[in-house]
Amino acid sequence: MPRIVMHIDMDCFFAQCEEVQNPKLKGKPLAVCIYSRRGGDSGAVSTSNYEARKIGVKSGMAIAIAKRIAGSRCAFIPANFELYEKASQKMREILMAFGEKFEQASIDEAYLEVTEKCKGDFSKAKELGEEIKAAVLKQERLTCSVGIGPNKLIAKMACDSQKPNGLTVIEPEGVKDFLFPLPVKKILGIGPKTEEMLKEMGILDVGELAKTDTSRLVTRFGKATAAYLHNAANGIDDSPVEEKEQVQISRITSLRTDSRDEKEMLELLDEMAQDVVKTVNEQKVLFRTITLQIITENMKMHTRGKTLEGATDSLSAIKNEIRALLFAYLEQNPENIRRIGVRVSGFEKMKGQRTLEEF
Ligand code: TTP
Ligand code: MG
């Protein structure tokens, strides 16, 4: 049965999250910025929507330069990582259901192994890709791009080849036609330095790289890199889709203003505890450790944790422990608090037995 791997990447992820939260931003150029602590416009554009890319505002650009290029045509807003983390978690929950194995590759990218699910049939995989896009759009109101191929390397490159809102299928017979005309820098892992070295050897596109005698590559790059380059250029990649066990589930949020307002903190903690338990239940795990996270006004991070006798998924257990941890913390620490969070860890898989609280 031919192997089938899918790669999913959200389109202009941070910018789309902002557009969903504030639809007025939609349709106009938008840059999401990470401002540095130096103030003013120092910092970089984290990402921009496709309208902003058209006028030259791109990831990694200094904010001041982007403003010079775009002027008032483009909205510049600060990054809100809580929002993106939440959307990323939701994406994870949606996608996991669609394949036999799931691997998160970055905040907005994932791989799915779908060989069994599609019985090695690429047309079934294409239908599944369409279903996934529809599910993400319906549940998150976000568009993504999907690449389908015989391995992770081809799936990712297929995904990158048509953005935004793309769906690209490369079947095993089509791999060489797809890869060979591309410039070498399109191969995952080939950065400007390797590209330059290959150029000096007269190798510009993937087809040339694929046909280059490996001994020439070994002399230049060493054995391991030469093998990678040769295989990648020929579309060969045996790396498995690896489920990375989630080691913790957490939520963190900012207080309205830096303070020691217990009522506000308890309300926020209860809300986050509910959210955490919802994810815990979706992932069918039990946790043993509950941790309170505190970031003070001077940006110091403190954690206070408690490990329970037995694993649980009980909401009241989190609420009670977190309250106790908060009161103990406030006793000992006089500073105002900026951000506060809840984390659970020490997971055990649910064994099918129900917990006391469900009865
Ligand atoms: P990408 O998936 O590389 O970019 P993107 O989702 O914004 O756009 P595309 O449609 O091309 O996929 O990165 C995901 C997020 O990571 C992105 O929304 C913002 C963040 N990021 C940075 O903060 N700095 C960077 O230089 C890049 C490339 C991304
Ligand atoms: Mg993306």
Side-chain angles (χ1 to χ4, degrees):
M1 193 152 65
R3 187 177 177 210
I4 310 181
V5 176
M6 207 178 271
H7 183 261
I8 301 103
D9 186 327
M10 307 302 288
D11 300 322
C12 58
F13 183 50
F14 293 2
Q16 261 206 98
C17 291
E18 297 290 350
E19 290 172 348
V20 168
Q21 170 143 297
N22 180 4
K24 274 194 214 136
L25 294 169
K26 232 179 154 147
K28 289 170 287 191
L30 171 68
V32 176
C33 301
I34 299 179
Y35 289 91
S36 81
R37 296 205 148 256
R38 257 172 285 152
D41 278 340
S42 72
V45 173
S46 158
T47 195
S48 55
N49 66 3
Y50 280 78
E51 287 85 351
R53 292 180 197 192
K54 266 188 224 142
I55 58 171
V57 173
K58 304 211 161 121
S59 278
M61 198 175 248
I63 298 166
I65 293 177
K67 284 196 172 168
R68 215 172 300 147
I69 294 173
S72 58
R73 285 180 293 170
C74 182
F76 289 84
I77 58 172
N80 171 0
F81 289 98
E82 266 161 49
L83 183 66
Y84 319 141
E85 285 295 345
K86 248 193 185 157
S88 177
Q89 179 73 40
K90 190 80 194 293
M91 164 190 174
R92 183 188 174 91
E93 284 156 18
I94 297 169
L95 296 180
M96 274 173 112
F98 279 96
E100 54 258 23
K101 267 192 182 156
F102 170 88
E103 177 181 334
Q104 182 105 32
S106 78
I107 191 166
D108 81 328
E109 277 174 80
Y111 292 98
L112 279 175
E113 178 82 48
V114 296
T115 308
E116 303 280 334
K117 174 126 188 173
C118 300
K119 303 198 171 63
D121 179 346
F122 276 81
S123 59
K124 279 213 181 87
K126 187 174 179 201
E127 281 167 27
L128 189 67
E130 273 156 6
E131 263 178 61
I132 287 177
K133 285 166 64 86
V136 173
L137 187 61
K138 182 152 181 266
Q139 296 180 51
E140 284 211 78
R141 289 180 286 157
L142 296 174
T143 64
C144 61
S145 298
V146 172
I148 297 169
N151 56 46
K152 285 166 83 176
L153 176 81
I154 301 297
K156 172 154 173 72
M157 290 178 71
C159 182
D160 289 346
S161 74
Q162 255 192 96
K163 270 191 144 280
N165 208 7
L167 173 62
T168 310
V169 184
I170 306 294
E171 297 195 28
E173 313 75 72
V175 165
K176 291 193 169 160
D177 286 342
F178 168 67
L179 277 185
F180 284 5
L182 298 174
V184 289
K185 67 169 180 216
K186 293 279 180 186
I187 297 266
L188 198 63
I190 298 192
K193 213 171 118 198
T194 311
E195 184 191 10
E196 189 55 40
M197 287 162 82
L198 288 167
K199 194 172 157 199
E200 282 164 16
M201 296 169 73
I203 303 166
L204 299 177
D205 63 42
V206 178
E208 286 162 354
L209 180 58
K211 290 183 191 90
T212 303
D213 198 38
T214 18
S215 61
R216 272 186 77 204
L217 295 173
V218 173
T219 319
R220 198 67 208 255
F221 297 98
K223 232 176 172 177
T225 305
Y228 174 77
L229 291 174
H230 176 80
N231 285 337
N234 283 286
I236 299 165
D237 171 28
D238 297 330
S239 59
V241 173
E242 279 177 312
E243 302 210 20
K244 299 205 175 85
E245 281 245 15
Q246 210 173 358
V247 291
Q248 60 180 54
I249 294 170
S250 64
R251 296 287 185 278
I252 191 158
T253 190
S254 302
L255 305 194
R256 277 192 300 272
T257 52
D258 297 358
S259 80
R260 295 169 61 78
D261 182 340
E262 283 175 22
K263 185 162 168 281
E264 185 189 2
M265 286 191 273
L266 289 174
E267 273 169 17
L268 292 172
L269 288 168
D270 281 359
E271 238 170 68
M272 289 188 283
Q274 274 179 31
D275 230 21
V276 164
V277 167
K278 190 165 163 267
T279 308
V280 162
N281 289 333
E282 279 161 356
Q283 314 233 333
K284 299 193 172 54
V285 290
L286 301 173
F287 56 83
R288 282 193 62 185
T289 303
I290 299 165
T291 305
L292 169 74
Q293 298 169 283
I294 300 265
I295 296 170
T296 56
E297 57 191 341
N298 49 12
M299 298 308 275
K300 285 228 171 64
M301 168 90 149
H302 300 265
T303 56
R304 295 286 184 275
K306 165 93 193 229
T307 297
L308 307 170
E309 299 269 308
T312 178
D313 64 350
S314 149
L315 174 61
S316 54
I318 305 192
K319 283 188 179 176
N320 293 338
E321 294 302 340
I322 281 285
R323 272 165 192 261
L325 291 166
L326 178 67
F327 292 134
Y329 173 86
L330 290 173
E331 281 288 303
Q332 295 154 1
N333 297 275
E335 301 100 351
N336 277 336
I337 294 171
R338 171 168 294 191
R339 284 158 70 71
I340 190 160
V342 178
R343 178 169 83 205
V344 296
S345 55
F347 292 142
E348 288 175 16
K349 281 259 175 244
M350 193 112 88
K351 292 185 198 79
Q353 87 274 29
R354 320 199 78 191
T355 53
L356 260 181
E357 231 184 31
E358 285 179 76
F359 293 98

